[in-house]
Amino acid sequence: MAKQLIFLNGQTEMIYKKCFIMNKNILILALFLTAFTAAGQVKKKSTGNHPNVIYIMADDLGYGDLSCYGATKIHTPNMDKLAASGIRFTNGHCTSATCTPSRYALMTGEYPWRKKGTGILPGDAALIIPTDRTTLPNMFKKAGYKTAIVGKWHLGLGDAVAKDWNGEVKPGPNEVGFDYSFIFPATADRVPTVFLENHKIVALEANDPIAVDYTKKIGDDPTGKEHPELLKLKSSPGQGHDGTIVNGIGRIGYMSGGKLARWVDEEVSSTFLAKAEGFMEKNQKEPFFLYLALTEPHVPRMPATRFKGKSGLGLRGDVILQLDWTVGEIMKQLKYLGLDKNTIVIFSSDNGPVLDDGYEDEAVAKLNGHMPAGPMRGGKYSALEGGTRVPFIISWPGKIKPKVSDALVSQIDVLASFSAFLKQPVPAGDAKDSENLIAAFLGKSDQGRSVYVEQGGALAIVKDGWKYIMPNKGAAYDKLVGIETGNSLEPQLYNLNKDVGEKHNIAVQHPEKVKELDELLNQVKEKK
Ligand code: NG6
Ligand code: CA
């Protein structure tokens, strides 16, 4: 529909919306008549028992990055509105302090550290989600939902690293339960920098095939290493973002060909938005589950031109404004389609924040006192709270009473919670770490998990507010990214109820607690 006009300019957008509202009654009447003349083909809108569910995942957004979570140097009105209309969790978590493992847990309901090969994947990795097990999307599908992923995937594609990117690239999201997929394979800073729609690279020309390599340079494209003068965003020294240059940005890895198919970073976000809006519109008459995996504020931070310079905090702040705007557009689309009262929107982030993650984009220099992790210590890559405690918001207007909840909840619990809600039993052995927290998710209870394992470099376990980080080798401070990792050869014990900033390691004072939590962590690890 004409909704695509939204990207022309603000004025066109306004005009379009006014026309839409004026014509809405006529439209409703027409839809009503069409529905009843096409007897037998009438599809039911989602109902209270089967509301639509949109899960929006930000990439590397920290606990303190939104104004509804206390940020004062950046203003995120759309996120604030979402939080004010639903539950804002103060103790909401991803499982891991990086992307692939967190997303693995969201999809499978299983702690990622149980399985080898669930660390940050290169862009040519094979699919790591099993295709014969219960997943979040195939559970929704079984319950009669239309399912889609739009955005970042980062869980591998195909059966092997060596694959032909020019044919059907599978198995992937469609094989683990998504009816529709529009994705990029890994991260915005990794090749191949292309979109895939249901197995196929978008806009790939037969006479310009794509090849991808993570071991050596291929093709004639300049690399960031050989030609730093060609870069519009400089790579940070020593972080490896100096492979093939695409759109003036050096990437991790090398690619050749597919010139027309390569994305323009400034358009990635609006492309995902358009695809998400299209899916919502097309499936407005049946319940749908949409996993919208946005790329902000992951590197390379390169927003649409109209957001550049808007935050005053450099490009990292600018892409957070773009993220906020995008969420606002999703909410508007729900309203236009008349689905706002019947859609649960969940918003969270796949790991904590990082400033310098590979590019010299002034994230550090222009921070201006902003605290991406809020009061938490650590960030991305860290076993400290900043690694996994992230924004976590659930809204369902009319059904959920707005509030702030301190319940300990995790993305890993979405699968068991919604399978209980939709009465879709999970076969024994599947989703074994996922807990049914639907009462907490819908605001009927303040009781979350009592035990939870967090993954940075080290594993940590939280029980009733006590947190134990097991001894782990490795630097306590990652100099490249400027983040405390939580690694220490000594056991660490924190009382999060009194010390959310993990300032006081009280392991020496409480040896019995250390022992109890160490044993408990081992028990969880051994759970069959
Ligand atoms: C790291 C990259 C970082 C980022 C991250 C993945 C280096 C030195 N750093 O390995 O730039 O791409 O992987 O981020 O290569 S994540 O959010 O997808 O986990
Ligand atoms: Ca991430």
Side-chain angles (χ1 to χ4, degrees):
M1 231 173 78
K3 192 86 175 53
Q4 312 305 352
L5 282 178
I6 208 158
F7 298 111
L8 292 180
N9 61 42
Q11 210 179 5
T12 319
E13 186 186 341
M14 285 298 295
I15 294 168
Y16 165 72
K17 281 171 188 170
K18 279 186 188 152
C19 294
F20 187 90
I21 290 163
M22 273 172 13
N23 290 331
K24 205 173 176 188
N25 291 340
I26 300 171
L27 193 72
I28 289 168
L29 186 68
L31 286 175
F32 188 75
L33 291 174
T34 321
F36 277 90
T37 42
Q41 304 227 331
V42 183
K43 285 181 175 171
K44 274 206 190 120
K45 272 209 177 200
S46 51
T47 65
N49 294 333
H50 285 77
N52 307 304
V53 178
I54 302 182
Y55 187 105
I56 305 176
M57 186 78 110
D59 194 359
D60 299 2
L61 188 76
Y63 188 89
D65 272 327
L66 303 174
S67 32
C68 51
Y69 276 90
T72 55
K73 307 284 178 184
I74 190 158
H75 186 44
T76 51
N78 293 297
M79 292 303 316
D80 297 2
K81 202 168 152 191
L82 186 72
S85 76
I87 308 176
R88 184 173 70 79
F89 290 93
T90 62
N91 202 2
H93 289 256
C94 48
T95 59
S96 316
T98 53
C99 167
T100 300
S102 278
R103 288 162 200 253
Y104 178 88
L106 174 69
M107 289 295 117
T108 63
E110 189 179 281
Y111 282 129
W113 40 262
R114 293 195 188 283
K115 186 175 149 140
K116 273 216 168 92
T118 54
I120 301 170
L121 292 179
D124 59 354
L127 177 69
I128 60 168
I129 307 282
T131 52
D132 56 353
R133 300 262 300 277
T134 305
T135 63
L136 187 62
N138 73 26
M139 183 279 295
F140 272 109
K141 200 165 159 166
K142 253 204 200 147
Y145 281 63
K146 267 273 182 288
T147 56
I149 171 173
V150 174
K152 168 175 175 169
W153 175 235
H154 211 184
L155 293 165
L157 292 169
D159 290 318
V161 169
K163 60 184 139 275
D164 181 8
W165 288 93
N166 303 285
E168 297 223 312
V169 184
K170 60 182 183 187
N174 298 69
E175 284 64 43
V176 306
F178 290 108
D179 294 311
Y180 173 73
S181 69
F182 187 96
I183 59 163
F184 68 56
T187 57
D189 56 354
R190 281 177 173 74
V191 299
T193 53
V194 293
F195 300 119
L196 282 101
E197 188 166 30
N198 299 327
H199 305 135
K200 290 270 217 171
I201 290 182
V202 175
L204 183 61
E205 296 174 301
N207 62 3
D208 186 23
I210 273 188
V212 175
D213 203 307
Y214 270 77
T215 59
K216 59 178 186 313
K217 183 184 166 175
I218 48 169
D220 304 325
D221 283 288
T223 65
K225 192 170 184 181
E226 302 156 346
H227 289 286
E229 77 284 359
L230 297 178
L231 299 172
K232 70 176 174 193
L233 190 62
K234 271 200 201 151
S235 309
S236 303
Q239 293 211 37
H241 297 63
D242 56 3
T244 305
I245 298 175
V246 180
N247 189 32
I249 298 172
R251 313 284 164 163
I252 304 175
Y254 306 94
M255 68 186 285
S256 64
K259 282 277 192 300
L260 201 66
R262 298 179 185 192
W263 73 55
V264 178
D265 300 78
E266 285 86 337
E267 290 178 359
V268 168
S269 196
S270 59
T271 304
F272 288 156
L273 173 61
K275 291 293 167 184
E277 288 182 325
F279 173 79
M280 290 156 73
E281 189 186 325
K282 190 160 172 228
N283 296 286
Q284 58 182 293
K285 294 211 179 61
E286 47 198 323
F288 60 76
F289 168 64
L290 169 62
Y291 171 37
L292 178 57
L294 299 171
T295 180
E296 297 99 337
H298 196 283
V299 296
R301 298 160 186 140
M302 192 48 65
T305 308
R306 68 206 155 99
F307 290 105
K308 288 177 186 161
K310 283 280 184 254
S311 68
L313 301 185
L315 289 167
R316 184 172 188 276
D318 299 344
V319 296
I320 292 176
L321 294 187
Q322 178 171 272
L323 169 73
D324 182 66
W325 180 83
T326 305
V327 171
E329 290 305 298
I330 292 291
M331 301 315 288
K332 277 189 206 163
Q333 174 74 334
L334 282 176
K335 208 164 186 145
Y336 293 146
L337 297 174
L339 302 177
D340 50 325
K341 296 256 153 39
N342 212 8
T343 302
I344 298 177
V345 177
I346 307 174
F347 177 90
S348 196
S349 173
D350 69 337
N351 51 252
V354 56
L355 295 174
D356 182 350
D357 208 17
Y359 298 94
E360 294 187 350
D361 60 8
E362 301 185 304
V364 178
K366 293 198 168 161
L367 198 57
N368 189 28
H370 173 61
M371 297 197 294
M376 253 63 76
R377 206 176 136 195
K380 186 175 182 177
Y381 310 112
S382 176
L384 295 160
E385 282 298 280
T388 62
R389 197 186 289 221
V390 286
F392 204 122
I393 297 168
I394 303 189
S395 116
W396 189 10
K399 289 282 178 24
I400 287 181
K401 264 234 223 72
K403 70 171 182 180
V404 176
S405 170
D406 297 332
L408 169 54
V409 297
S410 166
Q411 297 166 7
I412 203 171
D413 303 316
V414 175
L415 179 38
S417 304
F418 278 88
S419 43
F421 181 69
L422 298 170
K423 302 192 172 57
Q424 285 296 317
V426 174
D430 284 1
K432 67 175 171 211
D433 299 307
S434 189
E435 288 186 13
N436 174 9
L437 299 184
I438 195 70
F441 281 153
L442 300 184
K444 294 188 178 132
S445 159
D446 285 329
Q447 194 59 50
R449 285 177 160 260
S450 64
V451 175
Y452 185 55
V453 177
E454 301 174 2
Q455 179 187 25
L459 289 184
I461 189 160
V462 175
K463 186 179 178 231
D464 302 327
W466 292 89
K467 174 168 170 180
Y468 163 69
I469 308 180
M470 67 185 291
N472 195 45
K473 288 188 201 136
Y477 184 74
D478 184 333
K479 278 191 218 134
L480 273 184
V481 292
I483 291 174
E484 286 188 281
T485 59
N487 290 331
S488 168
L489 293 175
E490 300 300 322
Q492 293 170 77
L493 181 74
Y494 299 101
N495 183 344
L496 297 177
N497 292 332
K498 294 187 187 153
D499 177 25
V500 78
E502 294 165 293
K503 289 194 175 68
H504 308 287
N505 179 7
I506 47 177
V508 174
Q509 291 94 310
H510 297 276
E512 74 302 333
K513 231 348 162 210
V514 169
K515 186 163 179 278
E516 178 201 331
L517 293 180
D518 189 65
E519 282 169 8
L520 185 60
L521 180 54
N522 283 321
Q523 277 167 26
V524 178
K525 278 162 85 176
E526 275 153 28
K527 183 177 166 188
K528 287 279 175 287

